[in-house]
């Protein structure tokens, strides 16, 4: 074959190979495009952010170092359609039909979960500096908890960082409940004073997230330990008249009694873990297998967030329980029954906790 013919054939081959390569690349690109499009359509995702079903839940990243601090701007939350109730949005939960009748009774004291296979973890006295980190953990584990909030205890409920933590918890599907305005022992209060303690929290939550809770927990459990006594009757009757389901606990981790946020701590991490874990396991082991529990913790302690909560989640899941809110473990599985009132939040709430 002559040199000229050989060069001509090589040139033709190069052109043919280049053309084939372009066809292959174009086909692969089309396959990737339509594959992604089909995958998104199968999962209800469209180019319109408001169309289709809710996208898969995403979680906020957990902190890896440094002391947690509150932020007036909540972390991005999962997108959920929510449900309109009385003209305002109940976020996170997409519900259909009318709400069922509540399973719980106002004024009655509940100490244990009653729905088989359930276990609730709940947090009192907050929000605090550590609540956002706790929400990161719960979001990552896809667990819903109950937050019994104060109006003016570890911080003022009108403080931007506190408001942001409550709003984030509510929008993430956690239950928001009342723990009174200033964490007083209710048996020491008159009926009028008990009413004020509850109404002030109601006002703040209506203005912030547009709800009045149905659930409350008395500080220290006061007003529930001597059923039939005049003081307990006063507390329970007043709360019943205000529409509140009263919940306490059967497992107290003891974090508020033995932990601190000092530097250095009075107890080492290992000593604290041993005592708190024993407070949980002793109750669980003493009860019949499968007994349902309400576990009390406080999001006002850093090590409750970083140490006790992760251990509790692993331990409880290992026992085969389903972790749910206090309301759900008492049979109120429809979030519309977690609250007494729904309304649009107020645009200009008070900015101070002083009278």
């Amino acid at each position: 074959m002559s040199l000229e013919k050989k060069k001509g054939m090589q040139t033709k081959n190069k052109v043919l190979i280049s053309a084939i390569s372009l066809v292959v690349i174009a086909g692969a690109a089309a396959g990737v495009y339509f594959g992604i499009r089909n995958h998104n359509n199968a999962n209800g995702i469209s180019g319109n952010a408001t169309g289709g079903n809710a996208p898969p839940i995403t979680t906020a990243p957990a902190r890896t170092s440094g002391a947690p601090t509150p932020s007036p701007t909540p972390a991005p939350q999962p997108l959920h359609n929510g449900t309109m109730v009385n003209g305002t949005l109940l976020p996170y939960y997409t519900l259909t039909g009318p709400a069922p009748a509540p399973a719980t009774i106002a004024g009655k004291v509940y100490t244990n979960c009653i729905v088989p296979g359930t276990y609730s973890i709940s947090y009192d006295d907050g929000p605090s500096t550590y609540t956002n980190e706790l929400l990161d953990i719960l979001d990552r584990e896809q667990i819903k908890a109950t937050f019994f909030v104060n109006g003016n205890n570890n911080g003022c409920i009108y403080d931007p960082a506190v408001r942001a933590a409550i709003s984030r918890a509510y929008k993430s599907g956690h239950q928001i409940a009342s723990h009174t305005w200033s964490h007083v022992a209710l048996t020491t209060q008159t009926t009028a004073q008990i009413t004020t303690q509850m109404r002030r929290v109601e006002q703040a939550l209506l203005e912030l997230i547009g709800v009045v809770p149905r659930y409350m927990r008395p500080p220290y459990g006061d007003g529930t330990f001597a059923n039939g006594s005049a003081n307990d009757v006063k507390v329970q009757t007043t709360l019943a008249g205000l529409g509140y389901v009263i919940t306490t606990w059967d497992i107290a981790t003891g974090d508020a009694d033995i932990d601190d946020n000092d530097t250095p701590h009075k107890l080492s991490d290992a000593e604290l873990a041993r005592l708190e874990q024993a407070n949980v396991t002793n109750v669980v082991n003493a009860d019949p297998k499968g007994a349902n529990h309400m576990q009390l913790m406080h999001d006002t302690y850093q090590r409750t967030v970083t140490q006790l909560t992760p251990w509790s989640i692993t331990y409880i899941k290992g026992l085969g329980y389903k972790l749910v809110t206090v309301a759900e473990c008492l049979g109120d599985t429809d979030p519309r029954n977690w609250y007494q009132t729904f309304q649009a939040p107020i645009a200009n709430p008070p900015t101070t906790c002083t009278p």
Side-chain angles (χ1 to χ4, degrees), residues 251-296:
I251 296 180
T253 59
D255 56 350
D257 300 316
I258 58 178
D259 197 6
D260 59 70
N261 290 316
D262 299 336
T263 304
H265 296 296
K266 295 181 179 66
L267 295 175
S268 69
D269 289 354
E271 291 172 320
L272 180 68
R274 179 179 59 81
L275 293 172
E276 290 178 334
Q277 291 174 21
N279 286 337
V280 176
T281 59
N282 287 345
V283 175
V284 172
N285 293 337
D287 282 350
K289 185 176 181 180
N292 305 303
H293 302 287
M294 288 185 189
Q295 180 172 315
L296 164 65

Side-chain angles (χ1 to χ4, degrees), residues 121-128 130-131 134 146-148 150 153-154 179 183 217-221 249 251-259 261 276 295-306 308-309:
I121 57 174
S122 55
Y123 299 87
D124 287 11
D125 295 2
S128 79
Y130 312 111
T131 303
L134 172 60
T146 301
F147 290 87
F148 291 92
N150 290 125
N153 184 16
N154 282 281
H179 198 43
H183 204 271
R217 176 175 285 156
Y220 320 106
W249 60 88
I251 296 180
T253 59
D255 56 350
D257 300 316
I258 58 178
D259 197 6
N261 290 316
E276 290 178 334
Q295 180 172 315
L296 164 65
M297 295 181 280
H298 297 78
D299 53 324
T300 52
Y301 294 93
Q302 185 175 20
R303 291 188 292 183
T304 292
V305 171
T306 60
L308 178 58
T309 292

Side-chain angles (χ1 to χ4, degrees), residues 6-24:
K6 191 172 184 178
K7 287 182 177 179
M9 289 182 68
Q10 288 175 343
T11 301
K12 289 180 180 179
N13 289 340
K14 288 180 180 179
V15 170
L16 180 59
I17 291 169
S18 298
I20 292 171
S21 298
L22 288 172
V23 171
V24 170

Side-chain angles (χ1 to χ4, degrees), residues 332-353:
D332 280 330
T333 56
D334 190 311
R336 288 172 290 188
N337 287 329
W338 301 357
Y339 305 102
Q340 300 185 52
T341 303
F342 290 88
Q343 70 173 42
I346 305 299
N348 298 301
T351 57
T352 178
C353 283

Side-chain angles (χ1 to χ4, degrees), residues 178 309 313:
S178 180
T309 292
I313 291 171

